[in-house]
């Protein structure tokens, strides 16, 4: 096999990543978590930059909960330590606290430093009962997904059980719910499960209620777009969650934006609808009745183009003195010449 020669012509404005992170931690971590960690390393080179959880979220197009979840994951891996202010919000992120990494004193500070909390005690090892339940859960998951679980599958399901505290029944319903909607991807299941965790859903009954409401939203939006016979894809589900949760729009406002999308571009487009809803959000739309006011404000800000008289450019075809003729005299001259 022919070997490759790797050359470096980059300048010194680089971000250093430890090999141990790439070898030991990155393969096991969710890709979204890795992005957050890399972005933190990037900002170590610019510690004077104003940094906040919301800024990290905007940079990666995540929610703030996504960023906080990633930070807590890396804290459990002992790659960073989080400090909190008096309101319980993250104020200091200190990287390089793992004993396996070379310790560094640099810190990324979203806010003024506060005293670090005492390190929480290590989580006790799982009991034999918990191990048995998890083993049975993994067996059930294989039946639903119709395949032998990969290491990633096992890690994600174990995370629901051990870290998020989901019961066996809740995880079974989560997998069943996703599969029944045509999604066997573990990443799709993970996305739905994390959304449930953000909503503090802890029972099957609460999950059923949430799923019923969410299914209504998804069905209505997909039907408005004219998309039938399938559920929303993962990217589409992200848009729907963003519209209902992050933007806080009601279903009637969202469907109005979907209808305008079809009217304007004659095809369904979640991206186009998202732009409409962002404009309405910035315009302070909270009810359907506010949309007309937003439209009026937009039309007022958009000044019509005024037509100006065209200036005739002088060319070899029109750069001459116009002449006037006496048609009667010309006719007589022609007759006399005959």
């Amino acid at each position: 096999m022919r070997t490759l020669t790797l050359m470096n012509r980059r300048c010194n404005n680089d971000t250093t990543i430890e090999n141990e992170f790439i070898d030991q931690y990155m393969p096991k971590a969710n890709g979204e978590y890795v992005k957050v960690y890399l972005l933190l390393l990037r900002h170590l080179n610019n510690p004077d930059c104003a940094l906040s959880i919301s800024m990290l979220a905007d940079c990666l197009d995540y929610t703030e909960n996504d960023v906080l979840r990633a930070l807590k994951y890396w804290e459990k891996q002992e790659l960073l330590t989080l400090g909190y202010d008096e309101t319980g919000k993250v104020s200091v992120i200190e990287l390089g606290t793992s004993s396996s990494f070379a310790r560094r004193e640099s810190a990324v500070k979203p806010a003024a430093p506060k005293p670090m909390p005492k390190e929480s005690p290590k989580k006790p090892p799982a009991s034999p009962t918990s191990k048995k339940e998890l083993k049975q859960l993994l067996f059930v998951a294989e039946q639903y997904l119709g395949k032998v679980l990969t290491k990633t599958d096992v890690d994600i399901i174990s995370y629901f059980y051990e870290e998020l505290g989901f019961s066996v029944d809740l995880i079974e319903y989560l997998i069943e719910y996703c599969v029944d909607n045509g999604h066997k991807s573990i990443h799709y299941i993970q996305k739905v499960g994390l959304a449930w965790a953000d909503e503090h859903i802890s029972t099957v009954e609460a999950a059923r209620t949430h799923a019923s409401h969410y299914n209504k939203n998804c069905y209505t939006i997909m039907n408005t777009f004219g998309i039938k016979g399938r559920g929303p894809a993962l990217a589409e589900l992200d848009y729907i969650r963003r519209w209902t949760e992050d933007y806080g729009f009601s279903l009637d406002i969202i469907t109005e934006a979907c209808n305008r999308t079809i009217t304007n571009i004659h095809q369904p487009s979640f991206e186009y609808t998202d732009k409409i809803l962002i404009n309405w959000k910035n315009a302070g739309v909270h009810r359907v009745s506010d949309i007309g006011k937003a439209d009026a404000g937009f039309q007022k800000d958009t000044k019509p183009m005024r037509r100006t008289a065209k200036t005739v450019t002088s060319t070899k075809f029109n750069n001459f003195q116009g002449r006037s003729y006496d048609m009667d005299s010309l006719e007589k001259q022609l007759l006399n010449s005959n």
Side-chain angles (χ1 to χ4, degrees), residues 279-294:
N279 289 335
W280 287 354
K281 181 174 180 289
N282 294 335
V285 171
H286 300 289
R287 295 180 286 292
V288 174
S289 58
D290 296 333
I291 296 176
K293 299 176 184 178

Side-chain angles (χ1 to χ4, degrees), residues 117-182:
K118 293 182 179 180
E119 185 177 0
S120 57
K122 295 292 183 180
K123 187 176 181 179
S127 65
T129 302
S130 298
K131 290 182 179 180
K132 184 178 179 180
E133 285 184 343
L134 182 57
K135 185 176 181 180
Q136 291 175 344
L137 177 61
L138 295 176
F139 174 77
V140 172
E142 285 187 341
Q143 308 310 305
Y144 276 115
L145 300 178
K147 66 171 187 173
V148 177
L149 299 182
T150 65
K151 185 180 182 304
T152 300
D153 299 334
V154 173
D155 287 344
I156 290 175
I157 295 173
S158 299
Y159 179 79
F160 289 145
Y161 182 76
E162 297 174 349
E163 303 297 334
L164 296 184
F166 280 13
S167 67
V168 171
D169 290 341
L170 182 57
I171 299 175
E172 285 186 12
Y173 177 71
L174 167 64
I175 298 173
E176 177 187 0
Y177 166 76
C178 293
V179 171
D180 286 348
N181 283 279

Side-chain angles (χ1 to χ4, degrees), residues 5 24 29 51 68 83 87 112 126 133 165 167 171 176 202-203 222 234 242-243 266-267 270 296 298 310 314 318 329:
T5 300
Q24 302 296 328
L51 192 65
L68 289 171
T87 65
E133 285 184 343
S167 67
I171 299 175
E176 177 187 0
S202 57
T203 65
M222 299 292 281
L234 186 57
R242 187 183 307 167
W243 300 339
H266 310 294
Q267 63 181 3
F270 283 80
F298 178 77
K310 292 184 179 179
S314 176
N318 59 20
S329 175

Side-chain angles (χ1 to χ4, degrees), residues 323-334:
R323 299 179 182 179
S324 58
Y325 295 94
D326 184 346
M327 298 304 297
D328 292 337
S329 175
L330 285 175
E331 184 178 359
K332 288 180 182 180
Q333 292 179 16
L334 289 172

Side-chain angles (χ1 to χ4, degrees), residues 302-317:
T302 306
K303 296 181 179 179
M305 297 292 293
R306 295 183 178 179
R307 292 186 177 180
T308 57
K310 292 184 179 179
T311 302
V312 178
T313 303
S314 176
T315 67
K316 65 180 180 179
F317 297 105

Side-chain angles (χ1 to χ4, degrees), residues 40-67:
L40 291 176
L41 292 181
R42 166 66 180 86
H43 281 283
L44 284 177
N45 290 339
N46 189 15
D48 296 329
C49 173
L51 192 65
S52 65
I53 299 298
S54 61
M55 195 203 83
L56 293 172
D58 290 342
C59 182
L60 297 171
D61 197 21
Y62 291 172
T63 65
E64 292 187 19
N65 284 333
D66 291 336
V67 174

Side-chain angles (χ1 to χ4, degrees), residues 188-225:
Y188 185 95
I189 295 172
Q190 180 189 37
K191 199 77 175 179
V192 175
L194 293 176
W196 287 5
D198 289 342
E199 294 291 327
H200 306 290
I201 293 173
S202 57
T203 65
V204 174
E205 184 62 30
R208 289 185 190 278
T209 302
H210 180 272
S212 175
H213 177 73
Y214 211 74
N215 282 345
K216 177 186 176 183
N217 288 346
C218 292
Y219 173 80
T220 303
I221 292 170
M222 299 292 281
N223 191 57
T224 304
F225 273 145

